[in-house]
C-alpha cells in the first residue's frame, strides 16, 4: 500500500512528499492558520492601484492646488517701510549698490493676476529705462517660467529670477496663504472676469516637450525618487505675492504683501516714489 512505511521512505529519499499520491479528501486549513497563507489578490490589486495613483501622477494643472512642500528656509519678517532689504542667502537677489529697484514676487505661472502684475512691471521697465531696475521673482520651475514669459511676449528689460525652493520669498516674509486669501468672494469674482489663464498652455507645452524627449516630467531639479509630495513645476496657488520699491541704499521705501490673490498692487506708485 502507498501508505506503508517502505513506500513513505522511498518517496522521502526521492524528495517527493509522502502525500502527493494521497487522493483522500482532507479538510483545508484556514488561511489565517497557515504558516504561509496565499496572497490576497484583492490586496495586490489595491497595492498596484495605490502605487500607480500617486500625488505626482496627477495632472500638472492640478499640482498648484495641492499643499506645497516647506520653503528651503524659515520665513522671515515682512519688511516695512524704512527697513533694510532682507538678505538673500542664496545670492540670487542683490539690491542696493546705488540702484533703484522695483521688485515683484509673482503668484504661480498661468495665473491671470500674475500675468497682469508682470505686464505692469514690464511697462514700468520700458517707460523708465535705466533709471529703474525691474525684477520679477517666480517660484515655478525654470522651464515653466520661461514658457509663460514667452507666451506673454518676452521679459523685455525685466530681470526674471527663478526661486523654485521659495527661499527668496521666505526671506522677504512671504509664505503660504490661507484659503481665504485665494478663495474669498472678491478674488473669485475677479477671477471670472479675467481671461489670462495660461496654466493649461504652459503645462501642455512642458508635457509635449518631455514626451518628445522620452523622459518623465522633471520638476524640482532634485533627483529624489522617494519624494512623493506635489510637483512645483507650475508654482503654487497658495504662495503669497508681494511688491517692493528699494532705493539705492538698499532701504525699502514702498510696498508689502498683496492683500489677496487678485491684488496686483499699484506698481506705478512704487516707481513714482523711487524716482521722486
Amino acid at each position: 500500500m502507498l501508505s506503508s512505511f517502505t513506500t513513505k521512505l522511498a518517496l522521502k529519499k526521492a524528495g517527493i512528499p509522502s502525500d502527493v499520491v494521497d487522493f483522500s479528501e482532507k479538510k483545508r486549513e484556514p488561511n489565517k492558520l497557515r504558516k504561509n497563507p496565499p496572497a490576497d489578490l484583492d490586496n495586490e490589486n489595491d497595492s498596484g492601484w495605490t502605487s500607480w495613483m500617486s500625488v505626482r501622477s496627477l495632472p500638472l494643472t492640478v499640482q498648484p492646488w495641492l499643499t506645497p512642500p516647506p520653503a528651503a528656509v524659515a520665513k522671515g519678517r515682512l519688511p516695512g517701510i524704512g527697513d533694510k532689504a532682507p538678505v538673500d542667502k542664496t545670492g540670487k537677489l542683490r539690491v542696493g549698490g546705488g540702484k533703484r529697484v522695483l521688485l515683484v514676487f509673482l503668484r504661480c505661472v498661468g495665473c491671470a493676476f500674475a500675468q497682469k502684475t508682470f505686464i505692469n512691471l514690464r511697462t514700468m521697465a520700458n517707460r523708465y529705462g535705466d533709471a529703474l531696475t525691474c525684477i520679477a521673482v517666480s517660484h515655478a520651475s525654470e522651464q515653466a517660467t520661461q514658457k509663460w514669459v514667452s507666451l506673454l511676449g518676452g521679459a523685455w528689460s525685466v530681470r526674471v529670477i527663478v526661486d523654485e525652493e521659495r527661499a527668496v520669498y521666505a526671506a522677504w516674509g512671504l509664505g503660504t496663504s490661507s484659503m481665504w486669501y485665494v478663495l474669498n468672494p472678491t478674488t473669485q469674482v475677479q477671477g471670472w472676469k479675467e481671461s489670462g489663464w495660461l496654466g493649461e498652455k504652459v503645462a501642455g507645452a512642458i508635457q509635449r516637450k518631455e514626451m518628445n524627449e522620452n523622459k518623465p516630467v522633471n520638476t524640482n531639479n532634485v533627483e529624489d525618487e522617494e519624494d512623493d509630495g506635489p510637483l512645483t513645476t507650475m508654482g503654487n496657488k497658495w504662495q503669497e505675492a508681494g511688491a517692493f520699491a528699494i532705493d539705492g541704499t538698499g532701504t525699502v521705501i514702498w510696498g508689502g504683501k498683496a492683500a489677496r490673490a487678485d491684488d496686483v498692487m499699484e506698481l506705478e506708485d512704487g516707481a513714482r516714489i523711487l524716482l521722486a
Side-chain angles (χ1 to χ4, degrees), residues 24-34 36-39:
S24 61
E25 293 185 3
K26 292 183 179 180
K27 186 177 181 180
R28 189 171 182 271
E29 189 176 11
N31 288 340
K32 63 174 65 178
L33 298 179
R34 293 187 178 186
N36 296 309

Side-chain angles (χ1 to χ4, degrees), residues 7-204:
T7 303
K8 290 182 178 180
L9 183 61
L11 291 173
K12 184 176 181 181
K13 287 184 177 180
I16 302 173
S18 60
D19 60 347
V20 71
V21 288
D22 187 356
F23 299 104
S24 61
E25 293 185 3
K26 292 183 179 180
K27 186 177 181 180
R28 189 171 182 271
E29 189 176 11
N31 288 340
K32 63 174 65 178
L33 298 179
R34 293 187 178 186
K35 185 176 182 181
N36 296 309
D40 189 339
L41 294 179
D42 291 337
N43 289 340
E44 285 186 352
N45 292 336
D46 291 344
S47 177
W49 169 262
T50 303
S51 62
W52 174 78
M53 191 58 184
S54 64
V55 170
R56 294 198 166 200
S57 69
L58 296 173
L60 280 180
T61 51
V62 174
Q63 299 291 334
W65 288 100
L66 305 178
T67 302
V73 299
K75 188 179 76 169
R77 185 179 66 86
L78 186 74
I81 306 302
D83 290 342
K84 284 293 183 181
V87 176
D88 167 32
K89 295 182 179 180
T90 67
K92 294 180 179 179
L93 177 62
R94 301 290 186 188
V95 295
K99 293 183 178 181
R100 290 172 286 193
V101 176
L102 191 57
L103 173 65
V104 166
F105 289 90
L106 298 167
R107 298 194 71 245
C108 57
V109 299
C111 171
F113 306 124
Q115 175 176 321
K116 291 180 70 173
T117 302
F118 185 82
I119 291 176
N120 289 344
L121 181 66
R122 192 173 61 184
T123 300
M124 297 297 103
N126 185 54
R127 179 180 301 167
Y128 297 110
D130 295 337
L132 193 64
T133 299
C134 294
I135 301 175
V137 184
S138 166
H139 65 284
S141 68
E142 182 79 35
Q143 184 181 7
T145 301
Q146 289 181 356
K147 180 60 182 178
W148 179 67
V149 170
S150 69
L151 288 173
L152 298 181
W156 299 0
S157 58
V158 174
R159 180 190 170 199
V160 179
I161 296 175
V162 173
D163 178 36
E164 194 170 356
E165 295 182 342
R166 309 197 324 275
V168 184
Y169 280 80
W172 283 75
L174 299 173
T176 51
S177 64
S178 65
M179 291 185 65
W180 184 256
Y181 185 86
V182 178
L183 301 178
N184 66 83
T186 301
T187 297
Q188 294 306 300
V189 170
Q190 293 301 318
W192 281 107
K193 294 179 180 179
E194 297 295 336
S195 59
W197 301 99
L198 300 177
E200 290 187 3
K201 289 186 177 180
V202 175

Side-chain angles (χ1 to χ4, degrees), residues 96 215 240:
K215 64 180 182 179
E240 294 174 330

